[in-house]
Amino acid sequence: MRKGLLIVVSGPSGCGKGTVLGKIDKDKLGLCYAVSATTRAMREGEVDGVNYHYLQESQFEKLIAEDKVLEYTKYCGNYYGTLREEVENRLAQGQDVLLEIEVDGGKNVKRLCPDAVLLFIAPPSIQELERRLRKRATETEKVIAERVSQAEREIKCAKYYDYIIINGELEKAISDVSSVITAEKISAQNKEKIIVEVLNS
Ligand code: 5GP
């Protein structure tokens, strides 16, 4: 059985990656999303186990000590991490798994899994990013300022990514992300796995 494809999507807070990823047809693309763990507070409308696994700091640190976290980072004062159980078995079973994580996590995943495909979603400009963060009205001014300066750092890291998709017009960004994933699933990098799959089915 072929091993699944690991897809990492990053992009600064407010670039619209949540909206883009919410709109791509993940069933048609044959993707499952890994649910990360975090110690940040739940936002209105979010659901435990769907958007994140919401943990206390001590619970998160226990998972790290038990080596149950594939990668993690501290972002704006909170832990965020990918749980091994959300990823490893699925990939081994041939499922394609998508991680939505920040850039340090993306770099770590590429180091741990060199076959992973890294996609970066960028806003058209920093001004537009700030406008979108304000419109979302889920964070205080202090957190917005922190996230804007973090965004500038993250955008510079996009050079480590395989693809950069500008989210100016939402429909175009959805179509670009879907096209990249479709192409990667049938790419030359996967050809050995695809041949084995064809011969064994
Ligand atoms: P938010 O608080 O807006 O949901 O997420 C803040 C940042 O944390 C986003 O850039 C998001 O992609 C990132 N993030 C979410 N889950 C993970 C994770 O498991 N690992 C890492 N490294 N970053 C994550």
Side-chain angles (χ1 to χ4, degrees):
M1 190 188 291
R2 95 178 166 101
K3 207 168 162 286
L5 183 68
L6 184 57
I7 299 156
V8 172
V9 178
S10 302
S13 179
C15 74
K17 66 181 181 302
T19 310
V20 172
L21 294 181
K23 298 253 178 188
I24 63 174
D25 191 337
K26 72 187 211 324
D27 294 334
K28 197 164 145 201
L29 292 167
L31 291 180
C32 55
Y33 289 6
V35 179
S36 292
T38 186
T39 57
R40 87 145 157 75
M42 204 186 289
R43 291 188 192 129
E44 211 183 307
E46 291 185 336
V47 178
D48 191 15
V50 175
N51 301 89
Y52 285 103
H53 299 288
Y54 297 89
L55 304 178
Q56 299 299 318
E57 213 164 280
S58 58
Q59 294 173 303
F60 200 105
E61 285 168 353
K62 187 163 178 279
L63 291 179
I64 297 170
E66 291 169 350
D67 196 29
K68 291 185 174 159
V69 185
L70 180 69
E71 64 71 38
Y72 70 94
T73 192
K74 250 197 171 169
Y75 179 93
C76 296
N78 290 302
Y79 280 120
Y80 291 83
T82 308
L83 301 176
R84 286 188 189 278
E85 67 174 22
E86 290 277 335
V87 177
E88 290 177 347
N89 287 345
R90 289 174 175 166
L91 286 179
Q93 286 162 11
Q95 285 184 35
D96 298 329
V97 179
L98 186 142
L99 306 181
E100 186 205 322
I101 63 180
E102 51 66 66
V103 286
D104 293 328
K107 275 202 257 175
N108 283 334
V109 168
K110 190 75 179 177
R111 188 173 44 78
L112 296 166
C113 317
D115 288 347
V117 176
L118 270 55
L119 264 89
F120 189 90
I121 301 186
S125 67
I126 295 290
Q127 285 86 340
E128 174 60 14
L129 180 91
E130 205 169 332
R131 195 190 65 76
R132 289 180 191 173
L133 282 172
R134 282 231 160 71
K135 194 166 153 229
R136 192 160 83 180
T138 50
E139 269 89 21
T140 60
E141 275 300 312
K142 180 172 168 277
V143 173
I144 290 175
E146 258 174 26
R147 289 192 173 217
V148 168
S149 86
Q150 178 82 6
E152 288 168 345
R153 189 185 80 81
E154 289 191 69
I155 291 166
K156 288 181 187 149
C157 292
K159 63 179 180 228
Y160 301 112
Y161 279 63
D162 300 306
Y163 299 90
I164 302 177
I165 290 160
I166 308 281
N167 182 18
E169 205 235 297
L170 181 62
E171 289 308 319
K172 166 100 171 50
I174 295 167
S175 146
D176 286 351
V177 171
S178 305
S179 304
V180 163
I181 293 172
T182 303
E184 283 295 334
K185 283 170 73 113
I186 55 174
S187 77
Q189 185 186 298
N190 270 333
K191 69 187 169 198
E192 294 297 339
K193 298 173 195 164
I194 295 169
I195 290 167
V196 170
E197 197 172 60
V198 169
L199 292 176
N200 290 333
S201 44

